[in-house]
Amino acid sequence: MDSRRLLRTSATALAAAGLILSGCSGGSDAAASRPSAPASSPASQAPKLKKYYEQKLKWRDCGVEGFQCATLLAPLDYAKPDGEEARLAVSRVRATGPGKRLGSLLVNPGGPGGSAVGYLQGYAGIGYPAPVRARYDMVAVDPRGVARSEPVECLTGPQMDTYTQVDQTPDDTAEANALSAAFKDFAAGCEKKSGKVMPHVSTVEAARDMDVLRAVLGDEKLTYVGASYGTFLGATYAELFPDRVGRLVLDGAMDPSLSALDLNRDQTGGFETSFRAFAADCIGKSDCPLGIKSVDAAGEAMKRFFRDVDAKPLPTGESRLLGESLATTGVIAAMYDEGAWPQLREALSKAMGGDGSGLLALADSYYEREADGTYANLMFANAAVNCLDLPPAYTGPADVEKAVPSFEKASPVFGKGLAWAALNCTYWPTPPTGRPHRITAEGAAPILVVGTTRDPATPYHWARSLADQLSSGTLLTYVGDGHTAYGRGSDCIDTAINTYLLEGTPPAEGKRCS
């Protein structure tokens, strides 16, 4: 895997990985939060928002060669625009030329909780196709609650270590109670440290921030590439501001019409699909630790391994042991990009030999845990946004017990653990403000929706559904593995998306690439 692919994997795929262990995000009550003045010009906004739409950014050096940074101000609560302000981190790299500048291209890597500024500086601003970077200023804003923008904080590093090791496949009432207690402690930590910002990190509010940024940058329309959860953010923007939609690419699409329960169960099936693709690739190789009989047999071997480490966690060379929860997280982390499959084979081989360090490293990358034991705020922001955007999947552990069989049907390998993982929002202290609903964005310019047929985190049928919901949606299909499609090595996909971004022409409906 080349260096740019590695940067993209860590910034996009693993950021999006936050969806699964904290419960998916899907819909927000955008209609209830529509701007009072729908006209396009900043001056026509409600008078109390005018100062935000007409602010001037003060660009400064970022300390990263070629990039500038600034702070965007927005109301912490759009219902109280004269109240407290949110300070949002923005970064850009100017268009390189040649060719006429087309404006700004905003990017978001997903999550929710992935740092858009980190993604821009680590990949998009240097790794997007040169013709796109030549014509656009590449821009990112960390959504509110994320990274450098009023970050949600919940647990210390040691507390997070404990949280990530809690058994997520309880075998009895005591273990179920322990898992519930862990979710409650997590939520209480978030409320204690971030209670002021937590009610104001919804996707609707982040989309409204993007419109402020669009105006401040001097763009009449928004041009945007969003991956994974970033597709829901982009679709929400289109719903709120259809007349301001320019060229929107929604890659690895989410379906906003689904409930939290359905989103989590569908995603569980997506990971099963990806695992079976991994297994099919693995059993043909001499170093496959899952045997060489069949995909089904590989799945049974994986389940046996999880049961074994649940009963007897493995040493890792440090104080943390590798139990079932961390082992499962490590395997899931490698599902996002087939480029990680060799690393997973090696990690599984070591683990089956008694050394859990390889899977622990994969799990740490998923959780964005640093070598010094500190964590980025990815998982904190992920929960805060998800639990605000949708009503919880369950009312309590009894609901999980009822749902487990359907999750295990979706994924014999991961089903039980991912069913219980969706319990977290049940205990969230901030009431949800969103609801599942279809997004049509009537009147918007053509929007390009991209789906990958064996995407683990955003199953392909979500992309089909979103493209059908959007009044101007066009579906572009990548027949392959991994999470999202743009910049993953398909000339067919990249050419279609580049043409749309540079010329405004979407591909023909039904176009498929491999």
Side-chain angles (χ1 to χ4, degrees), residues 334-416:
M335 294 296 100
Y336 283 82
D337 191 316
E338 66 272 24
W341 290 357
Q343 183 182 355
L344 177 58
R345 289 198 306 272
E346 180 181 358
L348 283 172
S349 295
K350 290 174 65 175
M352 291 178 180
D355 178 359
S357 61
L359 284 177
L360 183 65
L362 283 167
D364 284 350
S365 68
Y366 180 103
Y367 285 123
E368 293 194 355
R369 183 188 190 272
E370 300 296 335
D372 64 1
T374 60
Y375 288 76
N377 94 312
L378 169 64
M379 291 299 169
F380 310 144
N382 181 271
V385 175
N386 284 335
C387 297
L388 202 58
D389 275 351
L390 280 181
Y394 309 118
T395 61
D399 287 347
V400 186
E401 296 283 8
K402 295 175 183 177
V404 164
S406 65
F407 275 75
E408 290 185 323
K409 182 178 180 180
S411 174
V413 175
F414 305 115
K416 183 178 180 180

Coordinates of all heavy atoms in Angstrom, one line a residue, residues 334-416:
A334 N -9.9 -3.8 10.2 CA -9.2 -4.3 9.0 C -10.2 -4.5 7.9 O -9.9 -4.7 6.7 CB -8.4 -5.5 9.2
M335 N -11.5 -4.5 8.2 CA -12.6 -4.7 7.1 C -12.8 -3.5 6.2 O -13.3 -3.6 5.2 CB -13.9 -5.1 7.8 CG -13.9 -6.4 8.5 SD -13.6 -7.8 7.5 CE -11.9 -8.2 7.8
Y336 N -12.3 -2.3 6.7 CA -12.6 -1.1 6.0 C -11.8 -1.0 4.7 O -12.2 -0.2 3.8 CB -12.3 0.1 6.9 CG -13.4 0.4 7.8 CD1 -13.4 -0.3 9.0 CD2 -14.4 1.3 7.6 CE1 -14.5 -0.1 9.9 CE2 -15.4 1.6 8.5 CZ -15.4 0.8 9.7 OH -16.4 1.0 10.6
D337 N -10.7 -1.7 4.6 CA -9.8 -1.5 3.4 C -9.1 -2.9 3.1 O -8.4 -3.4 4.0 CB -8.8 -0.4 3.6 CG -8.1 0.0 2.3 OD1 -7.7 -1.0 1.5 OD2 -7.9 1.2 2.0
E338 N -9.3 -3.4 2.0 CA -8.7 -4.7 1.7 C -7.2 -4.6 1.7 O -6.5 -5.7 1.8 CB -9.2 -5.3 0.3 CG -8.8 -4.5 -0.9 CD -9.7 -3.3 -1.3 OE1 -10.4 -2.9 -0.4 OE2 -9.7 -2.9 -2.4
G339 N -6.6 -3.4 1.6 CA -5.2 -3.3 1.8 C -4.7 -3.7 3.2 O -3.5 -3.9 3.4
A340 N -5.6 -3.7 4.1 CA -5.2 -4.1 5.5 C -5.4 -5.6 5.7 O -5.0 -6.1 6.8 CB -6.1 -3.4 6.5
W341 N -5.8 -6.4 4.8 CA -6.1 -7.8 5.0 C -4.8 -8.6 5.3 O -4.8 -9.5 6.1 CB -6.8 -8.4 3.8 CG -8.2 -8.0 3.7 CD1 -8.9 -7.2 4.5 CD2 -9.1 -8.3 2.6 NE1 -10.2 -7.0 4.1 CE2 -10.4 -7.7 2.9 CE3 -9.0 -9.1 1.4 CZ2 -11.5 -7.8 2.1 CZ3 -10.2 -9.2 0.6 CH2 -11.4 -8.6 1.0
P342 N -3.6 -8.3 4.6 CA -2.4 -9.0 5.0 C -2.0 -8.7 6.4 O -1.6 -9.6 7.1 CB -1.4 -8.4 4.0 CG -2.2 -8.0 2.8 CD -3.4 -7.4 3.4
Q343 N -2.2 -7.5 6.9 CA -1.9 -7.2 8.3 C -2.8 -8.0 9.2 O -2.4 -8.5 10.3 CB -2.1 -5.7 8.5 CG -1.7 -5.2 10.0 CD -1.9 -3.8 10.2 OE1 -2.3 -3.0 9.3 NE2 -1.8 -3.3 11.4
L344 N -4.1 -8.1 8.8 CA -5.0 -8.9 9.7 C -4.6 -10.4 9.7 O -4.7 -11.0 10.8 CB -6.5 -8.7 9.1 CG -7.5 -9.5 9.9 CD1 -7.6 -9.2 11.4 CD2 -8.9 -9.3 9.2
R345 N -4.2 -10.9 8.6 CA -3.8 -12.3 8.6 C -2.7 -12.5 9.5 O -2.6 -13.5 10.3 CB -3.4 -12.8 7.1 CG -4.6 -12.9 6.2 CD -4.2 -13.8 5.0 NE -3.0 -13.3 4.3 CZ -3.0 -12.4 3.3 NH1 -4.1 -11.8 2.9 NH2 -1.8 -12.0 2.7
E346 N -1.7 -11.6 9.5 CA -0.5 -11.7 10.3 C -0.9 -11.6 11.8 O -0.5 -12.3 12.7 CB 0.5 -10.7 10.0 CG 1.7 -10.7 10.8 CD 2.8 -9.6 10.5 OE1 2.5 -8.8 9.5 OE2 3.8 -9.5 11.2
A347 N -1.8 -10.6 12.1 CA -2.3 -10.4 13.5 C -3.0 -11.6 14.0 O -2.9 -12.0 15.2 CB -3.1 -9.1 13.5
L348 N -3.9 -12.2 13.2 CA -4.6 -13.3 13.6 C -3.7 -14.5 13.8 O -3.9 -15.3 14.8 CB -5.7 -13.7 12.6 CG -7.0 -12.8 12.6 CD1 -7.9 -13.1 11.4 CD2 -7.8 -13.0 13.9
S349 N -2.7 -14.7 13.0 CA -1.8 -15.8 13.1 C -1.0 -15.7 14.5 O -0.9 -16.6 15.2 CB -0.8 -15.8 12.0 OG -1.4 -16.1 10.7
K350 N -0.6 -14.4 14.8 CA 0.1 -14.2 16.0 C -0.8 -14.5 17.2 O -0.5 -15.1 18.2 CB 0.6 -12.8 16.1 CG 1.8 -12.5 15.2 CD 2.1 -11.0 15.2 CE 2.7 -10.6 16.5 NZ 3.2 -9.2 16.5
A351 N -2.1 -14.0 17.1 CA -3.0 -14.2 18.2 C -3.4 -15.6 18.4 O -3.5 -16.1 19.6 CB -4.3 -13.4 17.9
M352 N -3.5 -16.4 17.4 CA -3.8 -17.8 17.5 C -2.6 -18.6 18.0 O -2.7 -19.7 18.5 CB -4.3 -18.4 16.2 CG -5.7 -17.9 15.8 SD -6.3 -18.5 14.3 CE -7.9 -17.6 14.2
G353 N -1.4 -17.9 18.0 CA -0.3 -18.5 18.6 C 0.0 -17.9 20.0 O 1.0 -18.2 20.6
G354 N -0.9 -17.1 20.5 CA -0.8 -16.6 21.9 C -0.4 -15.2 22.1 O -0.2 -14.8 23.2
D355 N -0.2 -14.5 21.0 CA 0.3 -13.1 21.1 C -0.8 -12.1 20.5 O -1.0 -12.1 19.3 CB 1.6 -13.0 20.3 CG 2.2 -11.5 20.2 OD1 1.5 -10.6 20.8 OD2 3.2 -11.3 19.6
G356 N -1.4 -11.4 21.4 CA -2.5 -10.5 21.0 C -2.0 -9.1 20.5 O -2.9 -8.2 20.2
S357 N -0.7 -8.9 20.4 CA -0.3 -7.5 20.1 C -0.7 -7.0 18.7 O -1.0 -5.8 18.6 CB 1.3 -7.4 20.2 OG 1.9 -8.3 19.3
G358 N -0.8 -7.8 17.7 CA -1.1 -7.4 16.4 C -2.6 -6.9 16.3 O -2.9 -5.8 15.7
L359 N -3.5 -7.6 16.9 CA -4.9 -7.2 16.9 C -5.1 -6.0 17.8 O -5.9 -5.2 17.5 CB -5.8 -8.4 17.4 CG -6.1 -9.5 16.4 CD1 -6.9 -10.6 17.0 CD2 -6.8 -8.9 15.1
L360 N -4.3 -5.9 18.9 CA -4.4 -4.7 19.7 C -4.0 -3.5 19.0 O -4.6 -2.4 19.1 CB -3.5 -4.9 21.0 CG -3.6 -3.7 22.0 CD1 -5.0 -3.6 22.6 CD2 -2.6 -3.9 23.1
A361 N -3.0 -3.6 18.1 CA -2.6 -2.4 17.4 C -3.7 -2.0 16.4 O -3.9 -0.8 16.2 CB -1.3 -2.8 16.6
L362 N -4.3 -3.0 15.8 CA -5.4 -2.6 14.9 C -6.6 -2.0 15.7 O -7.2 -1.0 15.2 CB -6.0 -3.9 14.2 CG -5.1 -4.4 13.0 CD1 -5.5 -5.8 12.6 CD2 -5.2 -3.4 11.8
A363 N -6.9 -2.5 16.8 CA -7.9 -1.9 17.7 C -7.6 -0.5 18.1 O -8.4 0.4 18.1 CB -8.2 -2.8 18.9
D364 N -6.3 -0.3 18.4 CA -5.9 1.1 18.8 C -6.0 2.1 17.7 O -6.3 3.2 17.9 CB -4.4 1.0 19.3 CG -4.3 0.4 20.7 OD1 -5.4 0.2 21.4 OD2 -3.2 0.2 21.2
S365 N -5.7 1.6 16.5 CA -5.8 2.5 15.3 C -7.3 2.9 15.1 O -7.6 4.0 14.8 CB -5.2 1.9 14.1 OG -6.0 0.8 13.6
Y366 N -8.2 1.9 15.3 CA -9.6 2.2 15.2 C -10.1 3.2 16.2 O -10.8 4.2 15.8 CB -10.3 0.9 15.4 CG -11.8 0.9 15.4 CD1 -12.5 0.3 14.2 CD2 -12.6 1.3 16.4 CE1 -13.9 0.3 14.2 CE2 -14.0 1.3 16.4 CZ -14.6 0.8 15.2 OH -16.0 0.8 15.2
Y367 N -9.6 3.1 17.4 CA -10.0 4.0 18.5 C -9.2 5.3 18.5 O -9.5 6.2 19.3 CB -9.9 3.4 19.8 CG -11.0 2.3 20.1 CD1 -10.6 1.0 20.4 CD2 -12.3 2.7 20.1 CE1 -11.6 0.1 20.7 CE2 -13.3 1.8 20.4 CZ -13.0 0.5 20.7 OH -13.9 -0.4 21.0
E368 N -8.2 5.5 17.6 CA -7.3 6.6 17.6 C -6.6 6.8 19.0 O -6.6 7.9 19.5 CB -8.0 7.9 17.1 CG -8.5 7.8 15.7 CD -8.9 9.2 15.1 OE1 -8.9 10.2 15.9 OE2 -9.1 9.2 13.9
R369 N -6.1 5.7 19.5 CA -5.3 5.7 20.7 C -3.9 5.9 20.4 O -3.3 5.2 19.6 CB -5.5 4.4 21.5 CG -4.8 4.3 22.8 CD -4.9 2.9 23.4 NE -4.4 2.9 24.8 CZ -3.2 2.7 25.2 NH1 -2.2 2.6 24.3 NH2 -2.9 2.6 26.5
E370 N -3.2 6.8 21.1 CA -1.8 7.1 20.8 C -1.0 6.2 21.7 O -1.5 5.6 22.7 CB -1.5 8.6 21.2 CG -2.3 9.6 20.3 CD -1.9 9.5 18.9 OE1 -0.8 9.1 18.5 OE2 -2.7 9.9 18.0
A371 N 0.3 6.1 21.4 CA 1.2 5.3 22.1 C 1.4 5.7 23.6 O 1.7 4.8 24.5 CB 2.6 5.3 21.5
D372 N 1.1 6.9 23.9 CA 1.2 7.4 25.3 C -0.1 7.1 26.1 O -0.2 7.6 27.3 CB 1.6 8.9 25.4 CG 0.5 9.8 24.8 OD1 -0.6 9.3 24.3 OD2 0.7 11.0 24.7
G373 N -1.1 6.5 25.5 CA -2.3 6.1 26.2 C -3.4 7.1 26.1 O -4.5 7.0 26.7
T374 N -3.2 8.2 25.4 CA -4.2 9.2 25.2 C -5.1 8.9 23.9 O -4.6 8.2 23.0 CB -3.7 10.6 25.0 OG1 -2.8 10.6 23.9 CG2 -2.9 11.0 26.2
Y375 N -6.3 9.3 23.9 CA -7.2 9.1 22.8 C -7.6 10.4 22.1 O -7.8 11.4 22.8 CB -8.5 8.4 23.3 CG -8.3 6.9 23.7 CD1 -7.7 6.6 24.9 CD2 -8.7 5.9 22.9 CE1 -7.5 5.3 25.3 CE2 -8.6 4.6 23.3 CZ -8.0 4.3 24.5 OH -7.9 3.0 24.8
A376 N -7.8 10.4 20.8 CA -8.4 11.5 20.1 C -9.9 11.5 20.6 O -10.4 10.5 21.2 CB -8.3 11.3 18.6
N377 N -10.6 12.5 20.2 CA -12.0 12.6 20.7 C -13.0 11.9 19.7 O -14.2 12.1 19.8 CB -12.4 14.0 21.0 CG -13.1 14.7 19.9 OD1 -12.6 14.7 18.7 ND2 -14.2 15.4 20.1
L378 N -12.5 11.1 18.8 CA -13.3 10.5 17.8 C -14.5 9.8 18.4 O -15.7 10.0 18.0 CB -12.5 9.5 17.0 CG -13.2 8.5 16.1 CD1 -13.9 9.3 15.0 CD2 -12.3 7.5 15.5
M379 N -14.3 8.9 19.3 CA -15.4 8.1 19.9 C -16.4 9.0 20.7 O -17.6 8.7 20.8 CB -14.9 6.9 20.7 CG -14.2 5.9 19.8 SD -15.4 5.2 18.6 CE -14.3 4.3 17.6
F380 N -15.8 10.0 21.4 CA -16.7 10.9 22.2 C -17.6 11.7 21.3 O -18.8 11.7 21.5 CB -15.8 11.8 23.0 CG -14.7 11.2 23.8 CD1 -13.5 11.8 24.0 CD2 -14.9 9.9 24.4 CE1 -12.5 11.2 24.7 CE2 -13.9 9.3 25.1 CZ -12.7 10.0 25.3
A381 N -17.1 12.3 20.2 CA -17.9 13.0 19.3 C -18.9 12.1 18.6 O -20.0 12.5 18.3 CB -17.0 13.7 18.3
N382 N -18.4 10.9 18.3 CA -19.2 9.9 17.6 C -20.5 9.7 18.3 O -21.6 9.7 17.8 CB -18.4 8.6 17.3 CG -19.2 7.6 16.6 OD1 -19.9 6.8 17.2 ND2 -19.1 7.6 15.3
A383 N -20.4 9.4 19.6 CA -21.6 9.1 20.4 C -22.4 10.3 20.6 O -23.7 10.3 20.5 CB -21.1 8.6 21.8
A384 N -21.8 11.5 20.8 CA -22.6 12.7 21.0 C -23.4 13.0 19.8 O -24.6 13.4 20.0 CB -21.6 13.9 21.3
V385 N -22.9 12.9 18.6 CA -23.7 13.2 17.4 C -24.7 12.2 17.1 O -25.9 12.5 16.9 CB -22.7 13.4 16.2 CG1 -23.5 13.6 14.9 CG2 -21.7 14.5 16.4
N386 N -24.3 10.9 17.2 CA -25.3 9.8 16.9 C -26.5 9.8 17.9 O -27.6 9.6 17.4 CB -24.6 8.5 17.0 CG -23.7 8.2 15.8 OD1 -23.9 8.7 14.7 ND2 -22.7 7.3 16.0
C387 N -26.2 10.0 19.1 CA -27.3 10.0 20.1 C -28.2 11.2 20.1 O -29.3 11.1 20.6 CB -26.7 9.8 21.5 SG -25.8 8.3 21.8
L388 N -27.7 12.3 19.4 CA -28.5 13.4 19.2 C -29.4 13.3 17.9 O -30.5 13.8 17.9 CB -27.7 14.7 19.2 CG -28.3 16.0 19.5 CD1 -28.9 16.1 20.9 CD2 -27.2 17.1 19.4
D389 N -28.8 12.7 16.9 CA -29.4 12.6 15.6 C -30.6 11.7 15.5 O -31.4 11.8 14.6 CB -28.4 12.2 14.6 CG -27.6 13.4 14.1 OD1 -27.9 14.6 14.4 OD2 -26.6 13.2 13.3
L390 N -30.6 10.6 16.4 CA -31.7 9.6 16.3 C -32.1 9.2 17.6 O -31.3 9.1 18.6 CB -31.2 8.4 15.5 CG -31.2 8.4 14.0 CD1 -30.7 7.1 13.4 CD2 -32.5 8.7 13.4
P391 N -33.4 8.8 17.8 CA -33.8 8.1 19.1 C -33.0 6.8 19.2 O -32.6 6.2 18.2 CB -35.3 7.9 18.8 CG -35.7 8.9 17.8 CD -34.5 9.1 16.9
P392 N -32.7 6.4 20.5 CA -31.9 5.2 20.7 C -32.6 3.9 20.1 O -33.8 3.9 20.0 CB -31.8 5.1 22.2 CG -33.0 5.9 22.7 CD -33.2 7.0 21.7
A393 N -31.7 3.0 19.8 CA -32.2 1.7 19.2 C -33.0 0.9 20.2 O -33.9 0.2 19.8 CB -31.0 0.9 18.8
Y394 N -32.7 1.1 21.5 CA -33.3 0.2 22.5 C -33.8 1.1 23.7 O -33.2 2.2 23.9 CB -32.4 -0.8 23.1 CG -31.7 -1.7 22.1 CD1 -30.3 -1.6 22.0 CD2 -32.4 -2.5 21.2 CE1 -29.6 -2.4 21.0 CE2 -31.7 -3.3 20.3 CZ -30.3 -3.2 20.2 OH -29.6 -4.0 19.3
T395 N -34.7 0.6 24.5 CA -35.1 1.2 25.8 C -34.3 0.5 26.9 O -34.3 1.1 28.0 CB -36.6 1.1 26.0 OG1 -36.9 -0.3 26.1 CG2 -37.3 1.8 24.9
G396 N -33.7 -0.6 26.7 CA -32.9 -1.3 27.8 C -32.4 -2.6 27.3 O -32.7 -3.1 26.2
P397 N -31.7 -3.3 28.2 CA -31.1 -4.6 27.9 C -32.1 -5.7 27.4 O -31.8 -6.5 26.5 CB -30.5 -5.1 29.2 CG -30.2 -3.8 29.9 CD -31.3 -2.9 29.6
A398 N -33.4 -5.6 27.9 CA -34.4 -6.6 27.4 C -34.6 -6.5 25.9 O -34.8 -7.5 25.2 CB -35.7 -6.4 28.2
D399 N -34.6 -5.2 25.4 CA -34.8 -5.0 23.9 C -33.6 -5.6 23.2 O -33.8 -6.2 22.1 CB -34.8 -3.5 23.6 CG -36.1 -2.9 24.0 OD1 -37.1 -3.7 24.4 OD2 -36.2 -1.7 24.0
V400 N -32.4 -5.5 23.7 CA -31.2 -6.1 23.1 C -31.4 -7.6 22.9 O -31.1 -8.2 21.9 CB -29.9 -5.8 23.8 CG1 -28.7 -6.3 23.0 CG2 -29.8 -4.3 24.0
E401 N -31.8 -8.3 24.0 CA -32.0 -9.7 24.0 C -32.9 -10.1 22.9 O -32.7 -11.1 22.2 CB -32.5 -10.2 25.4 CG -31.6 -10.0 26.5 CD -30.4 -11.0 26.6 OE1 -30.3 -11.8 25.6 OE2 -29.7 -11.0 27.6
K402 N -34.0 -9.4 22.7 CA -34.9 -9.7 21.6 C -34.3 -9.5 20.2 O -34.7 -10.2 19.3 CB -36.2 -8.8 21.8 CG -37.0 -9.1 23.0 CD -38.1 -8.1 23.1 CE -38.9 -8.3 24.4 NZ -40.0 -7.2 24.6
A403 N -33.4 -8.5 20.1 CA -32.8 -8.2 18.8 C -31.7 -9.1 18.4 O -31.3 -9.2 17.3 CB -32.4 -6.7 18.8
V404 N -31.0 -9.7 19.4 CA -29.8 -10.5 19.1 C -30.0 -11.5 18.0 O -29.1 -11.6 17.1 CB -29.3 -11.1 20.4 CG1 -28.2 -12.2 20.1 CG2 -28.6 -10.1 21.3
P405 N -31.1 -12.3 18.0 CA -31.2 -13.3 16.9 C -31.2 -12.6 15.5 O -30.6 -13.2 14.6 CB -32.6 -13.9 17.2 CG -32.7 -13.8 18.7 CD -32.2 -12.4 19.0
S406 N -31.8 -11.5 15.3 CA -31.8 -10.8 14.0 C -30.4 -10.3 13.7 O -30.0 -10.3 12.5 CB -32.8 -9.7 14.0 OG -32.5 -8.6 14.8
F407 N -29.7 -9.8 14.6 CA -28.3 -9.4 14.4 C -27.4 -10.6 14.0 O -26.6 -10.5 13.2 CB -27.7 -8.7 15.6 CG -28.0 -7.2 15.7 CD1 -29.3 -6.8 16.0 CD2 -27.1 -6.3 15.3 CE1 -29.6 -5.4 16.1 CE2 -27.4 -4.9 15.4 CZ -28.7 -4.5 15.8
E408 N -27.6 -11.7 14.7 CA -26.8 -12.9 14.4 C -27.2 -13.5 13.1 O -26.3 -14.1 12.4 CB -27.0 -14.0 15.5 CG -26.4 -13.6 16.9 CD -26.5 -14.6 17.9 OE1 -27.5 -15.3 18.0 OE2 -25.5 -14.8 18.7
K409 N -28.4 -13.3 12.7 CA -28.8 -13.7 11.3 C -28.0 -12.8 10.3 O -27.6 -13.3 9.2 CB -30.3 -13.6 11.1 CG -30.8 -14.0 9.7 CD -32.3 -14.0 9.6 CE -32.7 -14.4 8.2 NZ -34.2 -14.3 8.0
A410 N -28.0 -11.5 10.6 CA -27.2 -10.6 9.7 C -25.8 -10.9 9.7 O -25.1 -10.8 8.6 CB -27.5 -9.2 10.1
S411 N -25.2 -11.3 10.8 CA -23.8 -11.7 10.9 C -23.5 -12.7 12.0 O -23.5 -12.4 13.2 CB -22.9 -10.4 11.2 OG -21.6 -10.8 11.4
P412 N -23.4 -14.0 11.6 CA -23.0 -15.0 12.5 C -21.7 -14.7 13.3 O -21.5 -15.1 14.4 CB -22.9 -16.3 11.7 CG -23.7 -16.0 10.5 CD -23.6 -14.5 10.2
V413 N -20.8 -14.0 12.6 CA -19.5 -13.7 13.3 C -19.6 -12.5 14.2 O -19.0 -12.6 15.4 CB -18.4 -13.4 12.2 CG1 -17.1 -13.0 12.8 CG2 -18.2 -14.6 11.3
F414 N -20.2 -11.4 13.9 CA -20.2 -10.2 14.7 C -21.5 -9.9 15.3 O -21.6 -8.9 16.1 CB -19.8 -9.0 13.8 CG -18.5 -9.2 13.1 CD1 -18.4 -9.2 11.7 CD2 -17.3 -9.3 13.8 CE1 -17.2 -9.4 11.0 CE2 -16.1 -9.4 13.1 CZ -16.0 -9.5 11.7
G415 N -22.6 -10.6 15.0 CA -23.9 -10.2 15.4 C -24.2 -9.9 16.8 O -24.7 -8.8 17.1
K416 N -23.8 -10.8 17.7 CA -24.2 -10.5 19.1 C -23.5 -9.3 19.7 O -24.2 -8.5 20.3 CB -23.8 -11.8 20.0 CG -24.2 -11.6 21.4 CD -23.9 -12.9 22.2 CE -24.3 -12.8 23.7 NZ -24.0 -14.0 24.5

